[in-house]
Amino acid sequence: MPERVILREHFNEMLQTVSAVADEYDQLASTEAEPPRREQLRRLTRDKSRHLELTERLLEILDE
């Protein structure tokens, strides 16, 4: 059981970090004037959103 507690802590930290990064990319994309850079930031936002989903799933697995 202690391993699960350690993993949960690490995954929660990952979740918070990735969430903050995704929010930052989204905010930057909404203010970017150059279409190529805006699209790149939107792609990064989508990638980070996928990381959020995967990290949330890891937390769900730990709770099973």
Side-chain angles (χ1 to χ4, degrees):
M1 285 303 276
E3 296 87 11
R4 286 182 178 250
V5 171
I6 293 169
L7 285 172
R8 188 173 289 109
E9 288 175 13
H10 286 292
F11 291 149
N12 274 323
E13 289 174 16
M14 286 173 48
L15 189 64
Q16 291 172 355
T17 301
V18 172
S19 178
V21 170
D23 289 343
E24 185 68 25
Y25 283 145
D26 189 46
Q27 201 170 36
L28 288 170
S30 67
T31 60
E32 180 56 54
E34 296 180 34
R37 291 185 69 184
R38 184 173 50 242
E39 183 54 37
Q40 184 179 24
L41 288 165
R42 290 190 195 281
R43 188 178 72 247
L44 289 169
T45 301
R46 286 190 302 271
D47 291 347
K48 293 303 171 195
S49 294
R50 179 68 178 141
H51 289 160
L52 276 171
E53 292 171 8
L54 293 171
T55 304
E56 288 170 342
R57 180 61 186 131
L58 288 170
L59 286 166
E60 289 172 8
I61 290 169
L62 284 174
D63 289 336
E64 292 177 352

